[in-house]
């Protein structure tokens, strides 16, 4: 039996899969743009193409994330390759990039701790090619993927240094102006781990297998140690993404280490999402830049 694109788009699934997601699967499997598929929906699919499509349709119906099925996700208007070794980039994390673009001094140095797909570091490098950037992750497969994303999105001459490291453990003792991180912040018994896309994402990138604050504490302590060694330069900010109920806990962790709570940025739903900490009280222009990053992020522009 011969099946057309139109038949594939109408094929039943339980639970149902939206027409848009079916088109996305066909785009990926056939290597043709959506406009072509819609204009040529009477074209037949080969038996092999139809079998692959039904397999992917079944996986999506079971809840597998679209990003993993099509192998990509947009972040900061860039298309990142993703797989099950890395967390799927999310819009909430874009604020870190908006802020870093404004805050990082010209030719300044920044690090992305726990880089995953490389989304934060690569998006920053795309808008700030003058920046000196390092990105680290404990997972070598994640680092390899991040490196491929950098070469694809930034070109073969990209300047990000990728370093395998368990947080600060293997990071060279070099000066940094900004430290950025979206670490695992879910507690080991968080019910969200059994819901939606999180069921399929790498546990290592989601939870510290404790109370959700373990990675945060390591990052904060390492920042303070480097500052004591004179390795944190102006504006000297640590920007950590966290869970929507963790703002006060992160602030307390920082203040116990002698850090100033500079700013808290909220996501588009109004939940506190990023905590900005520093070794000293910030200059007024730094606060202005952070506020401007929030306004820009809300408007969806870079």
């Amino acid at each position: 039996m011969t099946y057309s694109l139109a038949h594939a788009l109408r094929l039943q699934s339980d639970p149902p899969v939206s027409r848009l997601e079916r088109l996305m699967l066909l785009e990926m499997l056939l290597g043709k743009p959506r406009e072509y598929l819609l204009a040529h929906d009477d074209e037949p699919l080969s038996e092999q193409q139809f079998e692959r499509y039904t397999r992917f349709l079944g996986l999506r119906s079971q809840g597998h994330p679209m990003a993993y099925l099509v192998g990509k996700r947009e972040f900061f208007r860039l298309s990142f390759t993703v797989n099950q070794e890395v967390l799927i980039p999310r819009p909430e994390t874009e604020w870190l990039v908006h802020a870093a673009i404004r805050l990082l001094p010209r030719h300044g140095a920044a690090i992305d701790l726990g880089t995953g797909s490389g989304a934060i570091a690569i998006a920053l490098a795309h808008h700030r090619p003058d920046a000196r950037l390092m990105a680290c992750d404990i997972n070598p497969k994640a680092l390899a993927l991040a490196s491929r994303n950098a070469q694809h999105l930034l070109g073969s001459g990209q300047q990000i240094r990728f370093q395998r490291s368990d947080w600060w453990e293997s990071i060279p003792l070099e000066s940094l102006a900004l430290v950025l991180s979206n670490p695992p912040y879910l507690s080991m018994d968080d019910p969200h781990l059994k819901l939606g896309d999180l069921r399929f994402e790498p546990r290592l990138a989601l939870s510290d297998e404790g109370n959700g604050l373990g990675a945060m504490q390591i990052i904060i302590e390492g920042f303070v140690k480097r500052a004591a060694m004179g390795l944190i330069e102006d504006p000297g900010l640590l920007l950590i993404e966290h869970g929507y109920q963790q703002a006060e806990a992160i602030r307390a962790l920082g203040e116990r280490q002698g850090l100033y709570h500079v700013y808290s940025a909220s996501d588009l739903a109004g939940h506190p999402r990023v905590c900005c900490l520093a070794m000293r009280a910030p200059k007024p222009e730094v606060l202005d830049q952070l506020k401007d990053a929030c306004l820009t992020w809300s408007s969806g522009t870079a």
Side-chain angles (χ1 to χ4, degrees):
M1 182 176 178
T2 302
Y3 296 96
S4 67
L5 287 169
H7 179 84
L9 290 171
R10 294 195 303 267
L11 195 66
Q12 288 189 342
S13 64
D14 185 24
V17 175
S18 72
R19 180 179 173 84
L20 174 60
E21 291 182 341
R22 290 165 183 261
L23 283 167
M24 291 170 66
L25 291 175
L26 287 167
E27 280 183 290
M28 180 271 298
L29 291 169
L30 302 180
K32 294 181 179 178
R34 192 173 309 170
E35 295 78 12
Y36 179 92
L37 299 177
L38 292 171
H40 300 82
D41 64 355
D42 57 342
E43 278 196 10
L45 295 171
S46 69
E47 184 177 344
Q48 183 181 28
Q49 288 172 335
F50 186 73
E51 286 179 356
R52 290 189 68 204
Y53 172 73
T54 55
R55 180 165 61 87
F56 276 82
L57 185 65
L59 290 172
R60 180 54 186 156
S61 185
Q62 295 167 22
H64 285 257
M66 281 297 296
Y68 290 154
L69 294 178
V70 301
K72 61 183 180 180
R73 171 57 62 88
E74 184 174 298
F75 179 85
F76 222 81
R77 299 184 182 177
L78 298 171
S79 182
F80 285 83
T81 297
V82 295
N83 58 33
Q84 288 181 292
E85 295 293 336
V86 300
L87 198 69
I88 299 169
R90 289 167 168 78
E92 292 88 350
T93 308
E94 291 188 352
W95 188 86
L96 288 169
V97 182
H98 280 288
I101 289 170
R102 288 153 178 77
L103 291 164
L104 190 63
R106 185 159 179 79
H107 302 299
I111 189 169
D112 174 15
L113 292 172
T115 194
S117 65
I120 293 171
I122 293 169
L124 177 55
H126 180 78
H127 287 270
R128 290 290 307 274
D130 64 290
R132 293 178 289 119
L133 302 177
M134 185 181 298
C136 84
D137 205 288
I138 194 173
N139 181 355
K141 293 182 179 179
L143 279 178
L145 177 63
S147 179
R148 291 196 298 273
N149 274 326
Q151 291 177 28
H152 174 68
L153 295 169
L154 302 175
S156 58
Q158 68 84 21
Q159 297 297 312
I160 302 174
R161 287 185 292 161
F162 292 96
Q163 174 73 42
R164 186 181 182 187
S165 181
D166 185 1
W167 302 120
W168 293 105
E169 190 175 88
S170 302
I171 302 302
L173 296 176
E174 300 172 0
S175 295
L176 295 166
L178 294 179
V179 176
L180 314 169
S181 187
N182 176 23
Y185 52 70
L186 297 180
S187 64
M188 61 186 299
D189 56 356
D190 192 306
H192 292 92
L193 291 168
K194 298 179 180 180
L195 301 174
D197 288 356
L198 272 63
R199 295 171 294 165
F200 303 93
E201 294 183 271
R203 180 95 176 189
L204 183 67
L206 294 169
S207 174
D208 63 357
E209 301 302 342
N211 65 359
L213 299 175
M216 314 280 194
Q217 184 163 348
I218 292 170
I219 292 169
I220 290 170
E221 289 175 353
F223 179 81
V224 171
K225 287 178 181 178
R226 291 191 173 233
M229 298 169 68
L231 297 176
I232 301 298
E233 301 176 341
D234 283 340
L237 291 179
L238 168 59
L239 279 62
I240 303 180
E241 183 175 341
H242 55 73
Y244 72 99
Q245 293 180 317
Q246 292 177 316
E248 287 304 315
I250 304 304
R251 179 172 181 166
L253 281 176
E255 290 177 345
R256 281 201 293 270
Q257 293 289 327
L259 297 181
Y260 283 84
H261 176 259
V262 177
Y263 196 78
S264 283
S266 297
D267 60 24
L268 299 183
H271 301 301
R273 185 60 67 174
V274 178
C275 186
C276 306
L277 302 167
M279 289 300 302
R280 59 186 66 87
K283 298 175 181 177
E285 56 265 32
V286 170
L287 286 175
D288 289 341
Q289 288 167 327
L290 287 168
K291 293 174 183 176
D292 179 62
C294 280
L295 291 173
T296 307
W297 179 55
S298 299
S299 70
T301 64

